[in-house]
Structure formats: structure tokens, C-alpha cells
Amino acid sequence: MSQLTSEQIAAGEARFILPGENLEVVEGWGGASNSVAYVFRPSTFDEVRSVFELARQSGRTVAFRGAGRSYGDAALNAENAVLDLTRLNRILAWDPAGGTITLEPGVTIRQLWEYVLPHGWWPPVVPGTMYPTLGGCLAMNIHGKNNYREGPIGDHVTEFDLLLPNGDLKRCSRTENVELFDAAVGGFGILGCFTRITLRMKRIYSGLLNVEAITARSLDHMVEIFEQRTAGADYLVGWIDALAGGSHVGRGVIHAANYLAEGADPHPERTLRVESQQLPDRILGILPKSMLWRLMRPFMNNTGVRVVNGLKYHASALLDRGRVVRQSHVEFAFLLDYVPNWKQAYGTGGLIQYQSFIPREHAADVFRRQLVLAQEAGFPPYLAVFKRHRADRFLMTHGVDGYSLALDFRITPRNRRAIWDLAAQLDEIVLASGGRFYFAKDSTLQAQSVEQYLGSDAVERFMRLKRECDPEGILETNLYRRLFGARAGDQILFRGER
Amino acid sequence: MNLPWKHAIVVGASSGIGEAIARRLVRAGCRVALIARRADRLEAICAQLNREAGSEVAIAVGHDVHVHEEIPWLFQNCALRLGGLDAIFYAPGVLPRIAPDEYDTATDVETIQVNLLGAIAWLNQAALRFEKTGRGTIVGIGSIAGDRGRRGNPVYCTSKAALATYLESLRNRLGRRGVKVVTAKPGFIDTEMTHGLTGMIWLISADRAAELILRAARRGRTTAYIPERWRLVGLVVRMIPSFLFRRLNV
Ligand SMILES: Cc1cc2nc3c(=O)[nH]c(=O)nc-3n(C[C@H](O)[C@H](O)[C@H](O)COP(=O)(O)OP(=O)(O)OC[C@H]3O[C@@H](n4cnc5c(N)ncnc54)[C@H](O)[C@@H]3O)c2cc1C
Ligand SMILES: NC(=O)c1ccc[n+]([C@@H]2O[C@H](COP(=O)([O-])OP(=O)(O)OC[C@H]3O[C@@H](n4cnc5c(N)ncnc54)[C@H](OP(=O)(O)O)[C@@H]3O)[C@@H](O)[C@H]2O)c1
């Protein structure tokens, strides 16, 4: 490919082609959305810069992608370039005495905990799976089951470098480029590329947690238990049987977990070893885990899930009562990784997750209405997870002082339209209660809803920063076009559709 | 008609069968890039389709299939502007009227250029992309005339036979990657190409031909005669031994 001058490009002579051998189908994690893109896997930041240049010359846009664990279209960029950053995964500095670590963005949560655990540290915030990259986690500003205590991951980051499309590096911290700091964290990869991230780990004294299971008879009961427990529990998460109806709506099981105090674990040197955290790779000692999703497959329908959920709820109500067990951090934090490829049980149409964040006082009411609406529409969610959150300072945040409910819907070619319509109905209830949404999970939102929950001021500030950091509009994703396309106006080259 | 594609390229869309395919695709909810030399006609077709749809669903791209150098870029640019690409239809073809004793190399080269080399230049791009992405539908419009080397127009027959062979090879390369490659073989279709021809049988409209081609493509048929009754003709014609075929006045 020959180099073109900027005059030639402006004159429309930039008949630049991208390498066809880089074409790939890029999927959202849920498998319900995908598009074709030119995928580049740089192993140096100079290569990242040259992809910016290639995009500029060929009139294309660039999206960043970490491990692709966002459910929807956040790391897709139809017919444009996708920069897969997973090879930029070096740990640059680590202070085992103070617990501060500096990483490249492709380092995964798994790499991170395996690195720090033997020294008695644990990442302060982790998602429900250990495969995401730190770059992806910071771009979405992920939360853990301890969000009400620890805030999102951004609260533990002291500093990062952001690479802008013009090649400049911007150092951001609590004292330098603060506005950009607060916008790029949670800025879904639209302002620049994290190249170096420094964050603080959490001191732990054992590789185990004390975990207690508590059954909740209804949604009100669940909220009541959460409110009682937030002061005492380090982690709280609720599983809801989304098929239970009537007075049982919102029934489920809560898991409350606590760190072990110093001295409580007689053998911390043993439990803090990476090997003692590993998930077993066989179920009951015989069945390879990699087969498990096939066993789940026949139950992935309304009746199957109803039966399984019922069993799970009643078993827990009978057996778990007030019993405290010790679980490894990995077992507790990354339960979903326990069944590899579990999403394949949803079939080829994949799944979407609908997660909304509702202020405390409205949460029980809103979620009850959501569950009933989904049941009435004939699409009960097959997985529903409940968490406690707190508000934070980040510009595009999904955090509220309240609760979130994450609902997994199975998608088929036949129900797709109807699920999107259902989501639009659910959105209205969320917006009316002052709730928020989360780009990492989203597939269904509409632009005007985003403007409503974030507020026009926040969106305007974000778009101003976008123009400052990326005046040419090089950075785009399918999600950005879907939700901010109208705002970005002429900057958008084409409007991809659903 | 319910069609599975969301984004398509139709080369040779300014008239006849290609135009009819493009119109049907757009009306089935597909975004389409229409390509041919007569840009004014494409603009008019797109304007009408976009007006009907109420948004920009059809784009006009002026291009002569002789210009191979610009095809890789045009191909990528169409996919970019459409937001994706699931299917490509190659319709350009010329049928020069030649005398029984005419052997004009320039005319013949031109026929090969449009009917065959243009197809290869465009469909190679599609093959590369679909091979990489493991999806997509490629449709080439051949002809019943390619089933046998007839007296009337040696190089037209050659071009369509070669096109069918090229498409078969693509099918054998790409089939295991999940890509569909379809050879459509029309009989007589009422278009500019056949204006003034005499002795045509089983003549159908371009729109009907488009409907049948799209149906065959949706089903992923390997070879579709348009309409299907020509299959028997093709079969018989191919079975006639050469010494007999020579004597027949076809
Ligand atoms: C089973 C499962 C459970 C989950 N549980 C939780 C949970 O409990 N809490 C939670 O908060 N989330 C959760 N998630 C969501 C997940 O943590 C986020 O989607 C996270 O962003 C994924 O990181 P990734 O590396 O896969 O990023 P990707 O999904 O690849 O990308 C996410 C975003 O980050 C941007 N990006 C990636 N790298 C960079 C970079 N270096 N610089 C700038 N931008 C970049 C991308 O453009 C994109 O917008 C879960 C996901 C799954 C699949
Ligand atoms: N009609 C029949 O009976 C019949 C039978 C069997 C097979 N076919 C085949 O069906 C296909 C379509 O033919 P048709 O009957 O619909 O004829 P048509 O109306 O003449 O259409 C031919 C199309 O090809 C385009 N084309 C021709 N030369 C081109 C070039 N150099 N560059 C770009 N585009 C070019 C034309 O557009 P521009 O002129 O604007 O470029 C036009 O859109 C042909 O391949 C033909 O061989 C037709």
C-alpha cells in the first residue's frame, strides 16, 4: 500500500484498501450480535499507532477490544478496524509491600490475581468472570459483588496513560487531567486507549472467604436482607428465581461473603497459593467440565429452567440455613467460569443481558414489575442476578445508590423482535425511577434513553472531550454509533444498524 | 418474499435481471449497492427505492467492470457504506449479435471481459471475504447457453460455460466454510439484451427471473435453471453426442 498525502485523501483519492486477510467475524460475548471487521493484534503500541494511521488513510474508524467479554456491541466495529489488545499484556511494575501494580491493558483479571495472590493481595474489584482485560474493565468501569463498599474499579486506579488517535499520550490521575480521568474511566473506549494502568490491590490474609447462604422469600425480603447485611458483609450477591410468580416473585438465594481476619486461617501460605484456588476440572470427580453445557442444553427452555430453579431454591432453603462455609476467592468470585462455554447452552441465537440500576427506594418495585412483564410476555429470564451498588464520580457511570438486576434472555431468530420490544418497555420503568444502564451489558438501548439517564449535560461534556481527544472521529464502535451517532453528527462515517 | 440477507451488492443493476434483483432485495429489507456504467439510471432507481423506504437503503455506484484495479477498493467501500455484506450478485453480460460466419476477436474479447473476467474480478473479492468470515452467498448469472457449444455465438457460450466452471470451483473451495455459491442459468428473459430476438420460447419477465433466482439463492441451490423447466432441456442437450449435435440446427 502506497502512502497518500493528506491533500489526496481530502480530494477523495484515498482509495486505500485494508488487508482482506484481516477480516473476521467479531462477536459480542452473548453471541446475539456480531459484525465483520478488519482485526489487528498489535504487540507494541507503535503498531497501535500505525493502525490509527491506516484508518486515517483509508477513511475507517478504529475500535478497541479487550477479551470481548462485553455482552453486546461495545467492542464491535462493522466493516472498520478492531484493535485486539490482548497481546499487550505485560506487568510493568509491582510493589508487593505496598500492593500497587502497573500493567499493560491486555493483562487479564486472571493474570492479575495469579500474580498478586501469593503475596497476600487480591484485586479490589473483579467481575463475575476472570477472563476480561484490565483495559476493558477500566473502559467499562466494572463493579464487583462489593460495589456498595469498594465502588467501581476506577476508584482503585491511581493513574493511567491514554493514547490518543493523534499519537499523543495523556497522563491522567487524581491531580493531572482529572476531567479526562473521570470520563475515560467508563468512557467505553471512545476517548483513547489505556496503555499503562496503575492500581492498588487489596490486602488479604487467607485464600479463603467465609460464605453464608440466605434464602429470600420475595423481592422485598431480598432487599430487606441486603439492607441488614451491607454493613457487615464484604461481598453480597443475590440469585433470583425469575420464573417464580405470584407472591414468590423475586424469591432467591443470597450469598454473603467475608474476608478472613489476620490469623483466622491457620495455613495462609497454603490457601494463598494459585493452585489451591483452581476450579476443579471435573464435576463429581468424573465428568469433564467441558461437557457440562451439553447437559444444560435440554433445560434451556421455560419449563426446564422452572424446574431447575425450583430445585435450587428449595434445596438452598433446606440445606443452607445459616451455614457458613469456606470457599476460595476464585470459587466465590468466578462461579460462572466453573462451567466452560455455558453460554452455548443458550443455542446459536445466543443471549443478551438486560441490566438496570435502580435507586434504593424504588428497586423492589421496579424489579418486581420487570420480572412480571417478562413473565407475561412469555420470556422469563433464565438467569437473574441481584447486586447492591453505590453512586460514584465518573462521568458516564452506571452506578447508583441502589440495586441492579441482571436478566439473561435467550435469543432466537423468532423472539428477537419481541425481546427488543420488551426491553424498550423495561427501559421506560427504569427511566421513570431515575435508574441507569451499563454499556458492558447493553444490546437494546436507544439513543434518547441514554441522553435521559445520563443527562444532557453529561453527554455534552463527554462529546466535548471526544472532540478534544479525537477531533477526526477515528474511534468508534457499533455501540457508539447506535447510542451517540446522532450526537456525533457529521463525524460518523456511516450508521451501522442492528 | 422473505430474504435472509441484510446487505448486498448487485453488479449489473441498471437494467434487466440485475435491476429486478436489486429492487426485490431492497423491498425485502436489504441494503443494496447497485453497480453498472449507466450511473444516471442507477441514481434514478435508487432515488425511487429510497423514497419508498424512507431512508437510504440503496446506493448507486458507477463502474465499468473492465476496470479491475478499482474493484478491491469499490468492494470494500460498498461493504463499508452498507454496514456489512452478506450476498453478491454478478449480472453483467453482453450478447453481441454476430453473423454465422463472423469471427471478430475484438468482439469476442469484449464478451469475455464483461461476462467472465469482470465476474472473476468481483467474485474473487467476495470469495476472499466470505472465506475469512465463514458466511455469505455468491450468485453468478450464467446461461443455458453455457451448457453446450452452439453454432450461434461461440464466445458467449464459452463465457457462460467458463463462468459456470469458475463458480463450481468457488463452491468447492468455499462450501466447507459455509459459503453458498449459486449458478443461475436463465433461458429466455424479456430484457434489453433480448430485444428484437426471434424464436424465443418460454419467455418470462426480468422480475419473474429475479424472483426465481432469489428463491434459489435463499435455498443455496448449486445450479438453478430459470425457470426450472430449462433443466430438462439442459440435460437432454448435454447428453446428445457430439456427432449428432453438430447436425442439429441449434
Ligand atoms: C460471564 C460474565 C460476567 C460478568 N460479570 C460482570 C460483573 O460482575 N461486573 C461488571 O462490571 N461486569 C461484568 N461483566 C462484563 C465485563 O466485565 C465487561 O464487559 C468488561 O468490559 C469486559 O472486558 P474485556 O476485556 O472483555 O473488554 P471488551 O468487552 O473487549 O471491551 C469492552 C470495552 O472496553 C474498550 N476497551 C478495551 N480495551 C481498551 C483499552 N485498552 N483502552 C480503551 N478502551 C478499551 C472497548 O472498546 C469496549 O468499549 C461480565 C461479563 C461476563 C461475560
Ligand atoms: N435476457 C436473457 O434472455 C438472458 C438469458 C440468459 C442469461 N442472461 C444473462 O443475464 C444477465 C443479465 O442480462 P439482462 O438480460 O438483464 O441484460 P441487460 O438488461 O442488458 O443487463 C445487463 C446489465 O449488465 C450491465 N453491464 C453490461 N456491461 C457492463 C460493464 N462493462 N460494466 C458494468 N456493467 C455492465 C448493464 O449495465 P450498464 O450498461 O449500465 O453498464 C446492465 O445493468 C447477463 O449476464 C446475461 O448474459 C440473460
Side-chain angles (χ1 to χ4, degrees):
Chain A
M1 274 174 285
S2 60
Q3 298 290 306
L4 284 144
T5 65
S6 49
E7 291 79 48
Q8 281 175 307
I9 294 164
E13 288 169 46
R15 300 208 149 192
F16 227 72
I17 58 165
L18 292 176
E21 56 277 9
N22 288 45
L23 279 170
E24 282 178 32
V25 177
V26 183
E27 273 204 340
W29 186 81
S33 56
N34 62 59
S35 54
V36 171
Y38 299 85
V39 180
F40 298 87
R41 295 192 168 77
S43 42
T44 65
F45 287 103
D46 281 339
E47 290 174 54
V48 172
R49 285 189 174 86
S50 64
V51 173
F52 289 154
E53 197 46 39
L54 186 65
R56 188 170 284 121
Q57 295 190 329
S58 60
R60 307 281 171 140
T61 64
V62 177
F64 304 122
R65 184 174 173 90
R69 253 56 187 186
S70 295
Y71 277 67
D73 54 358
L76 308 187
N77 197 11
E79 303 304 322
N80 287 278
V82 166
L83 269 168
D84 175 332
L85 299 167
T86 51
R87 288 186 186 163
L88 293 159
N89 64 350
R90 289 177 307 165
I91 292 173
L92 302 172
W94 165 232
D95 165 19
T100 299
I101 194 162
T102 301
L103 322 152
E104 287 186 341
V107 170
T108 62
I109 296 284
R110 174 183 195 161
Q111 242 182 304
L112 176 58
W113 76 253
E114 288 188 351
Y115 199 83
V116 301
L117 182 78
H119 304 276
W121 301 91
W122 184 255
V125 174
V126 295
T129 166
M130 62 170 108
Y131 301 113
T133 65
L134 268 298
C137 288
L138 200 52
M140 288 302 183
N141 203 14
I142 59 147
H143 60 261
K145 302 176 178 79
N146 53 1
N147 189 246
Y148 57 95
R149 286 212 152 176
E150 299 283 352
I153 197 164
D155 279 348
H156 304 270
V157 170
T158 53
E159 184 181 288
F160 59 78
D161 285 346
L162 197 68
L163 176 64
L164 305 186
N166 69 5
D168 288 355
L169 267 188
K170 281 253 189 204
R171 174 145 308 176
C172 301
S173 70
R174 305 309 170 88
T175 50
E176 214 176 329
N177 293 312
V178 183
E179 191 185 22
L180 188 54
F181 185 100
D182 289 349
V185 172
F188 54 105
I190 280 306
L191 300 178
C193 179
F194 301 112
T195 58
R196 203 186 50 93
I197 302 165
T198 302
L199 71 166
R200 288 213 194 87
M201 297 294 106
K202 168 106 188 157
R203 184 39 106 197
I204 52 172
Y205 302 98
S206 165
L208 301 174
L209 293 167
N210 283 330
V211 182
E212 185 185 346
I214 311 134
T215 17
R217 294 179 303 273
S218 66
L219 209 48
D220 286 320
H221 191 205
M222 181 152 297
V223 171
E224 192 187 313
I225 298 169
F226 263 79
E227 291 299 309
Q228 286 163 4
R229 296 276 179 153
T230 42
D234 291 317
Y235 296 95
L236 276 175
V237 61
W239 165 81
I240 286 180
D241 174 4
L243 281 96
S247 59
H248 301 298
V249 170
R251 75 175 179 190
V253 182
I254 297 162
H255 284 99
N258 284 89
Y259 298 113
L260 271 60
E262 195 168 2
D265 181 351
H267 300 291
E269 70 293 344
R270 239 184 265 164
T271 60
L272 287 170
R273 287 209 320 244
V274 171
E275 305 79 69
S276 61
Q277 296 283 323
Q278 294 308 10
L279 299 167
D281 54 42
R282 283 170 187 272
I283 306 287
L284 306 172
I286 38 172
L287 188 71
K289 273 199 314 176
S290 55
M291 297 287 294
L292 200 57
W293 69 268
R294 292 178 200 277
L295 295 182
M296 289 161 63
R297 184 86 185 80
F299 295 96
M300 282 308 204
N301 50 59
N302 292 359
T303 318
V305 176
R306 185 188 307 279
V307 171
V308 172
N309 279 3
L311 287 173
K312 192 165 150 187
Y313 173 80
H314 289 292
S316 170
L318 273 173
L319 305 174
D320 289 338
R321 290 237 154 132
R323 213 159 51 101
V324 175
V325 296
R326 289 209 168 156
Q327 272 186 356
S328 74
H329 283 270
V330 165
E331 218 178 323
F332 178 77
F334 309 125
L335 187 70
L336 289 172
D337 295 337
Y338 195 79
V339 186
N341 301 323
W342 58 267
K343 66 172 173 176
Q344 290 187 32
Y346 278 82
T348 51
L351 71 150
I352 64 162
Q353 185 171 97
Y354 182 92
Q355 186 175 24
S356 53
F357 299 73
I358 309 294
R360 189 175 47 80
E361 62 276 21
H362 302 301
D365 179 48
V366 165
F367 293 141
R368 191 179 310 106
R369 284 162 65 198
Q370 287 188 349
L371 288 169
V372 170
L373 267 174
Q375 289 171 359
E376 283 173 358
F379 305 119
Y382 289 173
L383 182 65
V385 175
F386 191 68
K387 285 184 213 141
R388 183 75 169 94
H389 298 272
R390 76 176 191 202
D392 57 60
R393 49 185 255 187
F394 298 96
L395 187 59
M396 305 300 267
T397 187
H398 59 276
V400 295
D401 177 10
Y403 290 88
S404 74
L405 181 62
L407 305 171
D408 287 9
F409 292 100
R410 180 181 177 179
I411 302 299
T412 65
R414 282 180 51 213
N415 78 7
R416 197 181 173 91
R417 188 72 260 162
I419 296 274
W420 257 253
D421 291 345
L422 172 64
Q425 270 179 285
L426 303 182
D427 288 353
E428 277 178 35
I429 313 177
V430 173
L431 293 169
S433 74
R436 287 176 171 263
F437 300 95
Y438 186 18
F439 297 142
K441 306 296 181 70
D442 179 53
S443 299
T444 56
L445 268 177
Q446 289 157 15
Q448 66 272 22
S449 311
V450 172
E451 190 98 12
Q452 209 175 321
Y453 85 78
L454 286 171
S456 301
D457 283 357
V459 175
E460 249 148 50
R461 274 179 64 198
F462 187 76
M463 295 312 290
R464 175 173 55 73
L465 286 164
K466 169 74 173 168
R467 285 189 296 274
E468 286 169 21
C469 294
D470 180 20
E472 303 156 284
I474 298 267
L475 304 180
E476 282 187 7
T477 62
N478 282 14
L479 180 138
Y480 178 67
R481 282 188 289 272
R482 172 164 62 90
L483 299 179
F484 297 86
R487 274 282 184 176
D490 294 342
Q491 259 202 348
I492 297 279
L493 282 168
F494 89 100
R495 269 173 245 289
E497 2 103 273
R498 226 191 254 153
Chain B
M1 191 171 11
N2 223 333
L3 297 174
W5 309 290
K6 290 219 173 96
H7 318 96
I9 289 176
V10 182
V11 190
S14 60
S15 65
I17 303 171
E19 176 188 346
I21 288 175
R23 287 181 181 278
R24 280 186 168 267
L25 284 167
V26 168
R27 291 187 176 132
C30 186
R31 290 164 67 99
V32 182
L34 290 83
I35 301 178
R37 287 168 306 178
R38 287 169 290 175
D40 50 334
R41 289 185 64 150
L42 295 178
E43 299 284 356
I45 297 166
C46 291
Q48 190 206 345
L49 290 169
N50 292 334
R51 210 169 329 107
E52 276 176 27
S55 64
E56 213 203 17
V57 288
I59 50 182
V61 180
H63 161 71
D64 184 329
V65 300
H66 291 85
V67 190
H68 297 174
E69 315 81 78
E70 70 180 15
I71 292 174
W73 183 81
L74 275 179
F75 181 83
Q76 286 193 357
N77 198 254
C78 286
L80 175 66
R81 291 174 65 192
L82 294 171
L85 186 72
D86 328 303
I88 182 165
F89 296 81
Y90 188 86
V94 288
L95 174 67
R97 307 288 196 268
I98 59 169
D101 59 351
E102 182 177 344
Y103 298 95
D104 180 52
T105 304
T107 305
D108 292 346
V109 168
E110 170 65 10
T111 305
I112 295 289
Q113 279 285 358
V114 177
N115 298 14
L116 180 64
L117 299 182
I120 293 172
W122 273 97
L123 302 184
N124 274 350
Q125 295 300 313
L128 173 62
R129 177 190 169 105
F130 293 162
E131 158 127 53
K132 290 285 166 203
T133 57
R135 50 166 75 165
T137 302
I138 294 175
V139 181
I141 305 192
S143 169
I144 180 87
D147 278 9
R148 206 67 205 245
R150 301 201 324 243
R151 294 179 181 181
N153 201 325
V155 176
Y156 184 78
C157 292
T158 303
S159 72
K160 293 300 183 182
L163 179 64
T165 303
Y166 167 73
L167 291 170
E168 184 184 17
S169 288
L170 285 193
R171 185 178 306 127
N172 293 338
R173 277 192 165 199
L174 303 173
R176 64 201 140 90
R177 294 282 291 130
V179 180
K180 294 173 181 168
V181 182
V182 182
T183 310
K185 295 185 175 180
F188 290 110
I189 318 295
D190 186 10
T191 67
E192 287 174 18
M193 181 179 279
T194 52
H195 271 180
L197 277 189
T198 52
M200 290 191 287
I201 56 164
W202 298 341
L203 188 70
I204 60 170
S205 71
D207 183 56
R208 175 71 181 146
E211 183 183 7
L212 295 172
I213 290 168
L214 288 167
R215 187 178 299 165
R218 184 184 56 188
R219 291 184 188 153
R221 300 274 303 276
T222 53
T223 301
Y225 287 84
I226 307 296
E228 197 52 36
R229 58 167 73 158
W230 284 100
R231 182 178 296 274
L232 192 66
V233 177
L235 189 72
V236 171
V237 156
R238 267 181 287 122
M239 281 194 329
I240 301 174
S242 203
F243 73 90
L244 264 180
F245 194 71
R246 221 178 303 156
R247 283 155 224 243
L248 295 179
N249 188 22
V250 289

